[in-house]
Amino acid sequence: MVLAAGEVSPGLLGFVVVAALGFALYFLVKSMNKQMGKIEVPHEREFEDDKAK
């Protein structure tokens, strides 16, 4: 493919950067879901019992 004067193409480097950002985002979301699963949220009854004391 021949580019005309003044046209710009992202090329391989652009693809690699976007792919790396995609992989990083995937692993960050996976890690976030793991951490969110560790959070224990009290039920309303427990919260009301503690409030009454």
Side-chain angles (χ1 to χ4, degrees):
M1 180 172 132
V2 178
L3 297 176
E7 288 187 17
V8 179
S9 172
L12 181 62
L13 179 62
F15 173 76
V16 170
V17 169
V18 171
L21 286 172
F23 281 120
L25 179 63
Y26 170 77
F27 287 113
L28 283 171
V29 169
K30 188 174 176 183
S31 174
M32 180 192 68
N33 285 333
K34 182 179 176 183
Q35 296 300 322
M36 293 289 280
K38 293 180 181 180
I39 297 173
E40 293 181 17
V41 180
H43 297 290
E44 270 188 52
R45 280 181 292 166
E46 294 173 4
F47 183 70
E48 290 171 0
D49 289 344
D50 289 342
K51 202 173 185 183
K53 290 182 182 180

